Amino acid sequence: MVDFSTAATRSVLLTGSSEHSKRQELKHAFNETWALYESLFSLINNHAAYFKKAEPLRHPLIFYYGHTAVFYINKLKLGKYIENRIDPHFESMFAIGVDEMSWDDLNDAHYDWPSVDAVQAYRQQVKDTVNQVIDNMPLTLPITDQDPAWIILMGIEHERIHLETSSVIMRQLPLSDLTPSSDWEACPEAGPAPSNQLIAMAGRSISLGKPEDAETYGWDNEYGIQPYKVHDFKTSKYLVSNQEYLDFVKDGGYQQQRYWTEEGLAWLAYTKATMPRFWLERDGNLLQRNLTQEIPLPLNWPVEVNQLEAKAFCNWKADKTQQSIRLPTEAEWYILRQCLEMASPSWLEAPGNTELAYYASSCPVDRFEHNGLCDIVGNVWQWTESAIDGFQGFKVHPLYDDFSTPTFDGQHNLMKGGSWISTGNETIPESRYAFRRHFYQHAGFRYVASEQDPASMENLNIYETNELIAQYLEFHYGNEYFSVPNFCVNGVKQCLQEISLHSTQRALDIGCSVGRASFELAKRFDHVDGIDFSARFIQQAYALLEQGEKRYTIPTEGDLVEFKSITLDELGYQNLKGSIHFSQGDACNLKPQFTDYDLVYASNLIDRLADPKAFLNSIAERIVPGGYLVITSPYTWLEDYTAKDMWLGGIKVNGENFTTLDGLTETLIPHFELIAVKEIPFVIRETKRKFQHTVSEMTIWRKR
C-alpha cells in the first residue's frame, strides 16, 4: 500500500482558531503537495522522456513539470503579492496548458523546451519564494477568496489536478522510461468480476452548489445554486468492470456504428480504436497498462474509457437489455453520493480507493461498499451525461478567470467521484471537473436505468447574461447607434485605407476582446491571431467561431432585457473559420510563436496595460520590416490599470503638456515612422436609453 502524508492529499480547512497554526498548516500542505508532485516525476528515469509526446493531445511532461510552479508566480504577480518575476520566459512558456479543441488539434512546432535541470532549478526558486510568501503574508481567519492565502490554496489544488493528469500521461510513456517504486505500488488483487446489478434509487428535488461559507477551498464553478428534479431511477451497483466491458468489445461494439454518437464515430474514424486506451493485446492475451507496469487484464477492476466509449457501451447495454440505459447525470450522481455521510477532509479514513490512501492503481470494483453501492467515490472517475455549466450566481475569481469559463461550451462533460490518485479538492462532494468527451483520464463509469430525459432535470440559460460580456458582444456585433459606424469594422476599414501592404499573410489583433476586428482582418489576411488577456472574452469569440452563433441578453431598463442572436452567416464571416485562431495571452509577455506579422492591430489596449512602453518596445520585433502597427485609444489613463509613472502621456513634463501621441512618438520613432493620425468614434450601449460616446485616436506606424 502507498503511504503519503494527508497534508499532501487532503484540503486545508479555511477555518481555525489560531492564525499561527493555520500558517504552519498551509506551509506544511504546500511543501508536502510539492514533494508528492516531485515523487511522481521521480519515476521518470531519464531526461529524454520528459520531452516525449506520450499523449498526442497534450504537451510533453516537461511542460507539466514547470507549469505548476509557474502558476504560483503568475497568480501571485497578478494579485500583486510579489513584485518581481523569477523568469519571464518560463512564466510565458509554461503558463497555459492544453484544452484540446479536437483530437488532432495540438501544434507543438513552436515550443523550444528548456532542459530538465533548468526547470528543476526554477522549481526550487519558486518553492523558496512561495515559502517566503506564506511566512510573511497577512493572514486572518476564516480565509476568504480575497486573501493571499487563497492564492496559496489555489496553487496547491492546481498542482493536485496536474498530479493526476501527469500520471495519465506517464501511463503512456514506454515502460523503459519509468522505474517502479515502492511508494507507488499498484493493487495486487485481481480476479473475476462480480455480476453487475441495478439498484433502485428514489428520485427527489435536489439543489446543487457550494455555499459561500463552506469550510474548504472551491473553484469558481462549484458556487451558486442549481435546482434539479430527479425521477426515480436505478443505478448499477458496481462501476463497469473490465470484464463487463469486454463483452461489449467481443460483441463488436467498436465496429457497430449504431451505438456511437456522431462525435464518437468521428473519433473512431480518426483513432481506429478497437478497445480501451490502456488495454493491450499481446500473443493473444489482453494486458492492462498501469502507471509503471503491465499486468494481465484485471477483470474485476473498473474499465477506463473516455465519455464517447462509455456512452456507446450504454447504448449497447440498452439494446441488449431493452431498458433505458444511459450514463448518470450530475444530479443523479449526487443522490448516490448522499449514501455516504462522510466527506474529505473530515473523514478519518477514505471510504474508497482515493486520496492515494490505498494503492497507486485501481482495485476490484467490489472492494469498497456503502449502503449497497460500491465505489461511490474513488477507484476511477465516473463520466456523466452532464455538460458542465455555471450554476445560477456563478462568478469567476479575478485572478483565475479562465478556470471554468472555457469549458462552458456544451463540449465538456462532468466526471464525478474522483480516482485513486485524486487528492484535495478533487475528493470533496462539491467538486466539479469536466473534460472533452474524447479525453482520457483515470476515468470509467457506472450506468443508470431511467426514462427521464436528462435535459428535463434542469433549465440551462443558453443566453450569455454576464453584463460586461453582453455589453461587449453588443459593442462588437450589435446595432449601430446615432449613425456612428461599428467601431471594429470602421477601425479596420480606416487603417487599411491608409496603408500599402506588401504581404497579407499574417495579422495580430492584440486586445481583441470578443473578436470582431479579428474577423474583419481575416477578410484581408491569410491568418489572424486574436489574443486577449481575458479568457471570458476569448471564449465568446471562440464560441462564435466554432458554433457559428452567439446569443446574449442586453438590459433595456431595470430587470428587463432584450434577447439578441448573431450568426457568422449574417455577418458574412461563414468562410473565415480556418483563418482565425483565438487564444488567451498577455500583451506584454507573448509566446515566441506570435511573430512575423504584416500588421499588428492594438485597439483600445494601450491605456489598459500595466507597462505600455514594454509592450511597444517588444511588439516591434514581432512585425516584419515594412509591416504596420495600428494603435487606437481614447487615452483614458487610470491608475487602476497603469501606475502613473508608466503613463505614456496625459501628464506634464518639465512643466509642459505631454500627450500620449508625444509618448508614442518618443517610444516608437526608433523603429517606426508615423503614417497617419485619425479619430475613430464609438458608442457603447449600456441600456436602452444610456450610452457612452467616445472618440479614439488612431495612429498608424510603419516599421522601418
Side-chain angles (χ1 to χ4, degrees):
M1 288 183 130
V2 295
D3 185 23
F4 291 107
S5 165
T6 56
T9 61
R10 295 186 183 176
S11 291
V12 174
L13 291 177
L14 306 177
T15 54
S17 58
S18 166
E19 293 167 3
H20 173 75
S21 296
K22 187 60 62 176
R23 190 184 302 275
Q24 297 309 307
E25 186 182 359
L26 280 168
K27 192 168 184 178
H28 190 44
F30 165 72
N31 285 292
E32 289 295 317
T33 303
W34 188 280
L36 177 58
Y37 201 69
E38 291 283 349
S39 175
L40 177 69
F41 277 81
S42 72
L43 297 174
I44 303 173
N45 59 28
N46 67 92
H47 285 189
Y50 280 82
F51 302 93
K52 292 182 178 179
K53 287 291 293 295
E55 165 52 70
L57 301 182
R58 292 284 169 187
H59 287 308
L61 283 161
I62 189 66
F63 171 84
Y64 300 100
Y65 192 45
H67 174 62
T68 57
V70 159
F71 183 90
Y72 280 103
I73 299 304
N74 283 343
K75 297 309 177 187
L76 290 170
K77 184 72 170 66
L78 185 61
K80 301 180 179 178
Y81 299 120
I82 58 175
E83 292 186 7
N84 301 313
R85 294 187 172 277
I86 293 175
D87 187 324
H89 177 60
F90 277 26
E91 286 141 21
S92 173
M93 173 179 288
F94 291 111
I96 301 174
V98 179
D99 173 46
E100 70 283 357
M101 302 307 173
S102 184
W103 39 85
D104 55 356
D105 193 53
L106 180 59
N107 179 3
D108 203 43
H110 299 293
Y111 294 95
D112 183 16
W113 301 112
S115 69
V116 175
D117 289 340
V119 178
Q120 286 175 335
Y122 176 82
R123 283 181 59 84
Q124 185 59 51
Q125 288 179 282
V126 173
K127 183 181 179 184
D128 293 342
T129 299
V130 175
N131 273 299
Q132 291 172 12
V133 170
I134 297 173
D135 285 339
N136 298 309
M137 67 185 181
L139 178 63
T140 57
L141 297 175
I143 298 167
T144 74
D145 64 0
Q146 302 302 308
D147 297 330
W150 190 268
I151 306 306
I152 301 301
L153 291 171
M154 182 184 289
I156 291 171
E157 297 296 352
H158 175 259
E159 188 157 58
R160 287 167 169 165
I161 293 172
H162 286 288
L163 176 78
E164 182 148 0
T165 57
S166 297
S167 70
V168 177
I169 297 173
M170 287 183 189
R171 286 182 75 177
Q172 296 167 79
L173 279 175
L175 286 174
S176 59
D177 288 329
L178 300 165
T179 300
S181 166
S182 59
D183 290 335
W184 295 88
E185 285 189 357
C187 176
E189 305 165 16
S195 178
N196 219 337
Q197 54 188 287
L198 290 170
I199 306 297
M201 304 297 296
R204 70 197 72 164
S205 294
I206 185 173
S207 289
L208 305 187
K210 187 170 187 169
E212 293 288 341
D213 60 355
E215 288 192 317
T216 54
Y217 173 90
W219 298 107
D220 54 10
N221 61 41
E222 299 168 24
Y223 296 97
I225 187 169
Q226 188 74 42
Y228 296 85
K229 184 172 179 58
V230 180
H231 297 173
D232 293 348
F233 65 99
K234 295 179 181 179
T235 181
S236 60
K237 177 174 182 174
Y238 307 109
L239 298 177
V240 173
S241 65
N242 282 323
Q243 183 171 316
E244 188 173 10
Y245 195 86
L246 183 59
D247 292 338
F248 168 66
V249 174
K250 288 181 175 179
D251 197 41
Y254 280 78
Q255 291 75 42
Q256 300 187 59
Q257 294 188 7
R258 69 183 186 274
Y259 297 136
W260 296 81
T261 63
E262 183 178 351
E263 182 182 355
L265 288 172
W267 173 80
L268 275 180
Y270 182 80
T271 62
K272 313 298 184 187
T274 60
M275 63 178 67
R277 169 74 62 87
F278 299 116
W279 288 14
L280 307 165
E281 186 172 6
R282 186 177 299 133
D283 300 327
N285 298 312
L286 286 175
L287 308 175
Q288 176 167 299
R289 169 62 190 267
N290 292 333
L291 184 58
T292 62
Q293 62 181 170
E294 294 172 359
I295 63 173
L297 185 68
L299 295 176
N300 59 345
W301 289 19
V303 71
E304 293 168 277
V305 293
N306 65 27
Q307 201 267 358
L308 301 173
E309 293 169 296
K311 194 167 181 66
F313 173 92
C314 289
N315 291 338
W316 171 81
K317 191 79 172 178
D319 183 38
K320 296 299 180 183
T321 63
Q322 294 300 296
Q323 297 184 74
S324 297
I325 301 292
R326 57 167 171 78
L327 295 172
T329 64
E330 182 181 23
E332 287 168 334
W333 181 85
Y334 269 101
I335 289 177
L336 305 185
R337 181 61 181 79
Q338 290 175 352
C339 293
L340 270 180
E341 297 180 359
M342 303 166 286
S344 184
S346 300
W347 54 36
L348 295 178
E349 64 177 25
N353 185 20
T354 192
E355 291 186 339
L356 285 168
Y358 300 95
Y359 313 109
S361 73
S362 301
C363 70
V365 295
D366 55 357
R367 170 71 170 76
F368 294 94
E369 181 174 344
H370 296 276
N371 293 318
L373 297 178
C374 292
D375 290 331
I376 298 172
V377 297
N379 226 355
V380 293
W381 288 93
Q382 301 173 42
W383 283 110
T384 72
E385 288 279 353
S386 303
I388 192 172
D389 206 339
F391 291 150
Q392 297 171 22
F394 168 82
K395 55 185 179 182
V396 301
H397 192 282
L399 298 186
Y400 200 176
D401 71 348
D402 63 335
F403 178 78
S404 299
T405 51
T407 66
F408 294 168
D409 57 4
Q411 299 181 55
H412 291 73
N413 276 51
L414 284 154
M415 306 188 307
K416 309 300 293 185
S419 77
W420 54 269
I421 197 174
S422 296
T423 56
N425 173 268
E426 295 171 308
T427 68
I428 66 172
E430 298 89 354
S431 67
R432 305 180 77 224
Y433 294 89
F435 295 91
R436 290 188 175 269
R437 290 181 279 270
H438 60 269
F439 179 78
Y440 274 92
Q441 188 69 342
H442 305 298
F445 65 103
R446 63 181 352 111
Y447 49 86
V448 300
S450 172
E451 299 293 337
Q452 186 178 13
D453 179 0
S456 70
M457 296 182 190
E458 59 178 322
N459 293 314
L460 288 180
N461 182 5
I462 62 172
Y463 286 85
E464 178 57 59
T465 58
N466 179 278
E467 186 173 341
L468 179 64
I469 292 175
Q471 185 181 94
Y472 272 81
L473 285 168
E474 179 68 8
F475 175 43
H476 279 231
Y477 301 101
N479 299 335
E480 294 181 358
Y481 299 99
F482 308 110
S483 302
V484 176
N486 179 283
F487 178 69
C488 301
V489 176
N490 187 42
V492 172
K493 176 183 176 182
Q494 293 295 324
C495 83
L496 292 178
Q497 287 176 351
E498 297 294 331
I499 63 180
S500 177
L501 290 163
H502 299 296
S503 169
T504 56
Q505 291 185 11
R506 289 171 59 79
L508 169 64
D509 182 12
I510 184 69
C512 68
S513 183
V514 293
R516 182 69 184 270
S518 299
F519 285 101
E520 286 295 310
L521 289 167
K523 292 159 74 173
R524 186 71 178 273
F525 291 84
D526 298 334
H527 176 83
V528 176
D529 286 310
I531 299 177
D532 198 276
F533 188 75
S534 169
R536 288 176 289 172
F537 283 164
I538 283 293
Q539 183 62 19
Q540 310 310 310
Y542 180 78
L544 176 60
L545 183 69
E546 290 296 306
Q547 300 166 17
E549 181 183 19
K550 190 66 193 174
R551 300 179 180 185
Y552 59 98
T553 63
I554 54 175
T556 55
E557 60 181 89
D559 292 333
L560 304 180
V561 297
E562 177 183 354
F563 293 85
K564 304 273 291 193
S565 175
I566 53 174
T567 68
L568 293 183
D569 287 348
E570 292 170 351
L571 296 166
Y573 299 151
Q574 64 271 25
N575 297 321
L576 301 178
K577 184 175 179 179
S579 302
I580 306 173
H581 180 263
F582 289 112
S583 58
Q584 184 197 19
D586 182 351
C588 295
N589 197 19
L590 291 173
K591 289 188 175 181
Q593 65 261 36
F594 297 116
T595 190
D596 295 331
Y597 293 108
D598 302 297
L599 182 142
V600 171
Y601 190 77
S603 179
N604 288 1
L605 170 74
I606 200 74
D607 57 0
R608 290 298 180 264
L609 297 176
D611 192 348
K613 188 168 288 189
F615 165 72
L616 295 174
N617 288 330
S618 65
I619 203 66
E621 62 191 39
R622 299 177 186 273
I623 301 173
V624 299
Y628 292 87
L629 171 63
V630 180
I631 297 172
T632 69
S633 174
Y635 306 145
T636 51
W637 297 101
L638 296 171
E639 290 186 86
D640 290 346
Y641 300 100
T642 314
K644 198 163 187 177
D645 61 352
M646 294 288 190
W647 291 5
L648 291 178
I651 54 176
K652 292 279 188 178
V653 176
N654 298 324
E656 301 295 332
N657 292 342
F658 191 82
T659 68
T660 303
L661 181 56
D662 294 330
L664 287 169
T665 303
E666 180 180 275
T667 306
L668 292 174
I669 208 66
H671 302 288
F672 295 86
E673 58 179 318
L674 181 61
I675 300 301
V677 180
K678 291 188 168 189
E679 289 193 341
I680 311 293
F682 63 90
V683 172
I684 295 179
R685 179 193 188 280
E686 293 187 21
T687 69
K688 186 176 182 179
R689 295 176 178 83
K690 184 181 179 184
F691 301 80
Q692 303 173 30
H693 187 190
T694 312
V695 178
S696 273
E697 185 173 83
M698 172 181 283
T699 58
I700 304 174
W701 309 80
R702 182 168 57 212
K703 187 175 178 182
R704 300 180 192 278

